[in-house]
Amino acid sequence: MAVRSVTATAPGKINLCLRVGALRDDGYHDLATVFQAVSLVEEVTATPSAGFTCAFSGPIDVSHVPLSDDNLVIRAARAIAAASGYDGGVHLEVIKRVPIAGGMGGGSADAAAALVAVDALWQTHLGKDALMSIAADLGSDVPFSMVGGTAIGLGRGEELSPVLATGHFEWVLVPSDHGLSTPTVYRELDRHRDEHRLDIAPIAASPDVETPLLQALRGGDPQLLADYLVNDLQVAALHLQPELGATLEFGESHGALAGIVSGSGPTTAFLMPDSTAAMDLVDLFTRRGQRALRVLSPVHGARLQ
Ligand code: C5P
């Protein structure tokens, strides 16, 4: 009997460390990052259809998500059709939980879940390597959402190697009302670096992940990890949304071990000592009129439901 529909999930991410090298000729920056997948997942259901269509719903406002061929889930499905020679179409229903344009890889997670769901629906047998190569073509963060867990990302962020992390970490996430476009944040960082080039350290040609961060992850100690959270894009995100500074300060003075802008922002992520402190901080942000979510890390990557 023909398969009626297939559902897959894929996680959003936090960058525990994000070191950005110089601008490359192809418009990208060489990165050294440590990704960690968080328990905020996108869900994609693929159903056979004549054409390629998608629809979005979920607990966040999805009214501005473009449903055109540019959408990453449609691009993911078309890429699988091209690679496998499949000549049908698919309808993709996405339940969105990761903030849009929030620096948490939500669009990348949609693409990763779509790849896994469509591959299974069409039974393409493309194999892991082919899927990972399609993932890297779709976006720098898509391969990480495929594998999940904790991983170092080099190159554009798509060259992954696993990192040993023990235990779980507790986070509070504070999404912003207004998204930030990733290219705009990188451009702002380049502008800032250019303006202050006489005052700041030279930009590393190939940035590195600091060893003590990897040791903190191995030990599973949030107190230690807090000292090594770093994001080179934070200064650029703060220029574009100065109010993030007050959010970071509020979290850090109300129980968080450390606060950081997630990826290109503007979501802020607070590392918490335990679940009680995390629940308390969610309450405090809510009373302050800011939406806040408690999540755990790391979680697994894209998989069938
Ligand atoms: O790969 P992705 O489509 O997610 O990248 C979006 C944009 O973010 C790129 O067009 C580029 O402007 C910026 N970017 C970058 N360096 C990276 C990753 C992304 O400059 N390593």
Side-chain angles (χ1 to χ4, degrees), residues 37-60:
V38 298
S39 59
L40 203 54
V41 297
E42 307 285 69
E43 196 173 310
V44 175
T45 299
T47 312
S49 170
F52 288 81
T53 50
C54 61
F56 284 74
S57 62
I60 59 174

Side-chain angles (χ1 to χ4, degrees), residues 6-75:
V6 171
T7 298
T9 56
K13 56 82 188 170
I14 296 174
N15 300 81
L16 303 177
C17 128
L18 179 49
R19 292 299 198 188
V20 180
L23 178 63
R24 306 191 320 202
D25 290 341
D26 63 1
Y28 285 87
H29 297 74
D30 271 320
L31 302 183
T33 190
V34 176
F35 293 108
Q36 194 157 61
V38 298
S39 59
L40 203 54
V41 297
E42 307 285 69
E43 196 173 310
V44 175
T45 299
T47 312
S49 170
F52 288 81
T53 50
C54 61
F56 284 74
S57 62
I60 59 174
D61 178 11
V62 291
S63 55
H64 299 296
V65 175
L67 304 178
S68 58
D69 271 10
D70 291 344
N71 193 293
L72 271 175
V73 294
I74 302 272
R75 288 175 49 204

Side-chain angles (χ1 to χ4, degrees), residues 170 222-223 255-257 271-278:
E170 288 268 356
Q223 305 272 352
L257 300 170
L271 180 59
M272 306 305 298
D274 52 49
S275 57
T276 310

Side-chain angles (χ1 to χ4, degrees), residues 20 23-24 27-31 108 136 138-141 155-157 182-184 186-187:
V20 180
L23 178 63
R24 306 191 320 202
Y28 285 87
H29 297 74
D30 271 320
L31 302 183
S108 301
L138 289 169
S140 309
D141 294 342
R156 285 188 288 126
T182 304
T184 305
Y186 275 99
R187 264 198 307 275

